[in-house]
Amino acid sequence: MRQYSRRSILRLGAALAAGFGLDRQYGRAIAAGLEKLVTQEARVLWLQGMNCTGCSVSLLNSTDPGPLDLLTDVLSMAYHSTLSAAEGKVASGVVDKVIGAGGYYLVLEGAIPLKMPKACKVNGIPLTTILQTACRNAKAIIAAGTCAAFGGIPAAEGNPTGAGSLKEFMDKEGIPTKGRLINCPGCPMHPEELVGTLAYVLAKGLPELDPELLTPALFYGHSVHDNCPRFHYWQKHEYAEKFGDPGCLFKLGCLGPLSHTNCPQRQWNGGVNWCIRAGSPCLGCTSKEFAKRRDFPFYRKGEQVHAVAYAEQDRGSKLQ
Ligand code: SF4
Ligand code: SF4
């Protein structure tokens, strides 16, 4: 196992903060939290609900630290539904033991079948049964990805299982969320947002959250639109009419005005690229409505709904 020196942890904290466009004080706070994770002072229990495992894959796509360092050195992962070697009774024994001991940080990936508990089982036990105690005994809880945060794709219109968010589940069960639950949406969630949020929580407690969305303002305070490199086209009403054209992608269905996250600053895959730079409209993957409604499809060429209400505020004129 690689040993992290204090210097390398500080560098890591600073690099994470810089990637988010945050100033040094946040870098120091994130470094202090990472130190607790590295020294095994804090354990993470990662459970999965109704999901495609995309957020776990995203975690493995982290670049600094890389996946191996992340899993073996940085995150003190007590259990992860996909990545842990244990299975069957051994796995459920580990989960029971961690939950029984308490004091861990719970990460949930995936939605919860609120109306059909048997639709999602972990080691043969309904996820909803496990979450009753897992949520109560956790020090803090992170809903990783849009499915856990808002329902996401499993909650798409029709939704026979009643798939919903962790917040909906906790409210239904009377489990307190205030000061404990943080949403880190994204389809998938960005690995650095998850590690950064966890580290911040360990160092300083809960960050400032959006009162409705429960997302950390540190990472989700601005819309993609606010910092978009194509914003100058938007201001001049210069729109791309087809893929590959220069111009604002709004008429090709861009939902950047409705998606709050920092893609323009930290991008994806270690800062290689991101949706809009690659010429694709933002699909609004961090938005509460993502993938849920039929009238909120991924691509909406020519439509003027949704984004207009927000966008008119900052531009003060109608779309031509
Ligand atoms: S609508 Fe989309 S492409 Fe246009 S400025 Fe906003 S985020 Fe960028
Ligand atoms: S640009 Fe939009 S769709 Fe792409 S990852 Fe960011 S929030 Fe999601």
Side-chain angles (χ1 to χ4, degrees), residues 224-225 228-231 234 247-250 254-257 276 282:
V224 168
H225 184 67
C228 180
R230 298 193 187 220
F231 190 79
W234 165 268
C248 167
L249 301 168
F250 181 67
C254 185
L255 292 173
I276 286 176
C282 169

Side-chain angles (χ1 to χ4, degrees), residues 38-69:
V38 171
T39 53
Q40 315 280 304
E41 274 180 49
R43 288 177 313 150
V44 177
L45 173 63
W46 185 302
L47 296 175
Q48 289 175 328
M50 303 164 81
N51 77 112
C52 66
T53 317
C55 292
S56 292
V57 173
S58 179
L59 187 73
L60 295 178
N61 274 337
S62 64
T63 45
D64 191 10
L68 189 63
D69 287 347

Side-chain angles (χ1 to χ4, degrees), residues 17-282:
F20 295 128
L22 303 172
D23 65 28
R24 276 190 191 174
Q25 56 160 320
Y26 292 111
R28 281 196 288 272
I30 289 172
L34 286 173
E35 201 163 19
K36 288 190 180 173
L37 284 167
V38 171
T39 53
Q40 315 280 304
E41 274 180 49
R43 288 177 313 150
V44 177
L45 173 63
W46 185 302
L47 296 175
Q48 289 175 328
M50 303 164 81
N51 77 112
C52 66
T53 317
C55 292
S56 292
V57 173
S58 179
L59 187 73
L60 295 178
N61 274 337
S62 64
T63 45
D64 191 10
L68 189 63
D69 287 347
L70 193 66
L71 293 175
T72 56
D73 295 339
V74 178
L75 290 184
S76 181
M77 196 79 81
Y79 178 79
H80 184 294
S81 309
T82 311
L83 303 172
S84 292
E87 54 185 56
K89 284 188 181 160
V90 177
S92 46
V94 173
V95 173
D96 289 349
K97 209 169 154 189
V98 174
I99 293 175
Y104 50 86
Y105 293 82
L106 175 65
V107 176
L108 179 77
E109 171 184 4
I112 302 166
L114 299 170
K115 288 191 195 151
M116 197 190 287
K118 288 181 183 170
C120 182
K121 292 182 176 180
V122 179
N123 302 321
I125 303 164
L127 175 72
T128 46
T129 306
I130 297 171
L131 285 177
Q132 302 269 0
T133 322
C135 289
R136 286 194 167 88
N137 289 5
K139 268 190 173 171
I141 305 161
I142 297 181
T146 300
C147 299
F150 305 130
I153 291 171
E157 223 169 284
N159 193 2
T161 63
S165 66
L166 191 49
K167 169 88 166 60
E168 286 172 273
F169 169 79
M170 290 174 73
D171 285 347
K172 186 170 168 242
E173 299 297 331
I175 303 170
T177 56
K178 195 169 165 41
R180 304 181 70 232
L181 176 63
I182 305 169
N183 284 335
C184 282
C187 191
M189 115 231 134
H190 196 287
E192 288 164 17
E193 268 160 12
L194 190 270
V195 176
T197 300
L198 203 46
Y200 190 92
V201 170
L202 289 170
K204 298 261 183 193
L206 249 64
E208 182 196 342
L209 301 180
D210 178 279
E212 190 210 335
L213 303 175
L214 303 185
T215 48
L218 279 173
F219 309 130
Y220 296 90
H222 293 279
S223 73
V224 168
H225 184 67
D226 285 346
N227 293 307
C228 180
R230 298 193 187 220
F231 190 79
H232 61 103
Y233 289 124
W234 165 268
Q235 286 178 306
K236 290 183 283 179
H237 299 228
E238 290 176 13
Y239 300 102
E241 297 293 336
K242 61 178 187 333
F243 292 110
D245 282 355
C248 167
L249 301 168
F250 181 67
K251 285 190 176 179
L252 296 175
C254 185
L255 292 173
L258 295 186
S259 208
H260 285 68
T261 184
N262 50 19
C263 291
Q265 292 102 321
R266 51 127 177 88
Q267 308 188 53
W268 283 83
N269 300 324
V272 171
N273 209 344
W274 66 292
C275 306
I276 286 176
R277 197 169 147 212
S280 162
C282 169

